[in-house]
């Protein structure tokens, strides 16, 4: 079985990947925990310490909740603007041997045995080549080929590398 499709990435696709990747990792979870701790400290110490400290706790919590998404938005915007490859159409061929990506006459194949994992979010399918790097495939680009992609991946990946639940 073989499926082919084209992908035109947008800044929004890249941002969604960055948010997913960050908030499923240590840094994102840690920033949420710090924000929660700051808000809890503000509530617990309200009235017992000077009001300036309560305000500082609240501001610290807000900063931890806002900083990560804002910095990811800026870095995604910069990365997308600087990379000609990201702005051009990518052609994908998914088959039993692996995932082949082509653009402007160049192509590269990622064999299934080298795929770190494959996962799906509400908007994207992510085929990780390493723990950090992934092919971002918007579900809208797949259309009705989504189930075929899932089936090929399921047949060619070990169970622990196949992380698609929907």
């Amino acid at each position: 079985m073989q499926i082919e499709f084209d992908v035109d990435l947008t800044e929004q696709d890249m941002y969604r990947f960055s948010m997913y990747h960050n908030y499923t990792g240590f840094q994102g979870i840690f920033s949420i925990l710090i924000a929660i701790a700051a808000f809890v400290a503000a509530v617990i110490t309200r009235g017992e310490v000077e009001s300036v400290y309560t305000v500082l706790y609240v501001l610290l919590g807000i900063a931890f909740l806002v900083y990560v998404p804002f910095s990811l938005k800026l870095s995604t915007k910069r990365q997308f603007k600087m990379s000609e490859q990201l702005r051009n159409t990518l052609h994908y061929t998914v088959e039993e041997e692996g995932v082949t990506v082509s653009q402007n006459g160049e192509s590269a194949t990622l064999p299934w045995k080298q795929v770190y994992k494959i996962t799906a979010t509400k908007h994207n399918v992510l085929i990780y080549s390493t723990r950090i790097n992934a092919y971002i495939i918007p579900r809208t680009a797949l259309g009705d080929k989504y189930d075929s992609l899932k089936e090929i991946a399921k047949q060619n990946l070990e169970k622990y590398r196949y992380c698609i639940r929907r």
Side-chain angles (χ1 to χ4, degrees):
M1 178 189 294
Q2 174 180 319
I3 59 171
E4 295 187 41
F5 52 91
D6 291 326
V7 170
D8 291 309
L9 280 178
T10 64
E11 276 185 42
Q12 185 68 19
D13 296 324
M14 294 280 297
Y15 178 66
R16 285 179 177 146
F17 164 70
S18 296
M19 288 289 286
Y20 170 81
H21 185 73
N22 195 11
Y23 280 104
T24 57
F26 177 75
Q27 179 186 358
I29 294 168
F30 185 71
S31 68
I32 291 172
L33 292 176
I34 293 293
I36 291 170
F39 292 133
V40 168
V43 169
I44 290 174
T45 61
R46 192 175 129 238
E48 294 178 21
V49 296
E50 292 180 37
S51 60
V52 71
Y53 289 112
T54 303
V55 170
L56 284 175
Y57 289 142
V58 170
L59 291 176
L60 180 68
I62 291 171
F64 270 92
L65 288 180
V66 172
Y67 172 74
V68 173
F70 184 72
S71 67
L72 288 175
K73 187 72 167 177
L74 291 178
S75 67
T76 299
K77 186 180 225 61
R78 183 176 51 251
Q79 183 180 13
F80 197 78
K81 201 178 271 187
M82 294 179 68
S83 176
E84 187 73 28
Q85 290 82 14
L86 292 175
R87 292 191 312 264
N88 290 335
T89 301
L90 296 165
H91 180 76
Y92 283 82
T93 305
V94 181
E95 55 193 348
E96 303 300 322
E97 290 77 39
V99 179
T100 302
V101 182
S102 307
Q103 185 182 60
N104 298 330
E106 303 283 327
S107 69
T109 300
L110 178 65
W112 287 112
K113 65 183 178 187
Q114 291 180 346
V115 170
Y116 181 76
K117 75 175 179 178
I118 184 171
T119 190
T121 66
K122 181 178 179 182
H123 299 283
N124 296 322
V125 174
L126 307 171
I127 302 175
Y128 282 86
S129 57
T130 66
R131 194 175 62 77
I132 298 169
N133 300 318
Y135 293 128
I136 304 167
I137 304 170
R139 284 197 182 191
T140 55
L142 284 170
D144 60 351
K145 298 175 183 174
Y146 176 67
D147 289 331
S148 300
L149 174 65
K150 284 183 6 180
E151 189 59 38
I152 293 171
K154 192 172 191 172
Q155 290 173 359
N156 290 288
L157 290 173
E158 294 90 352
K159 201 172 191 173
Y160 68 93
R161 292 179 188 224
Y162 181 83
C163 303
I164 297 178
R165 287 165 183 62
R166 32 179 147 156

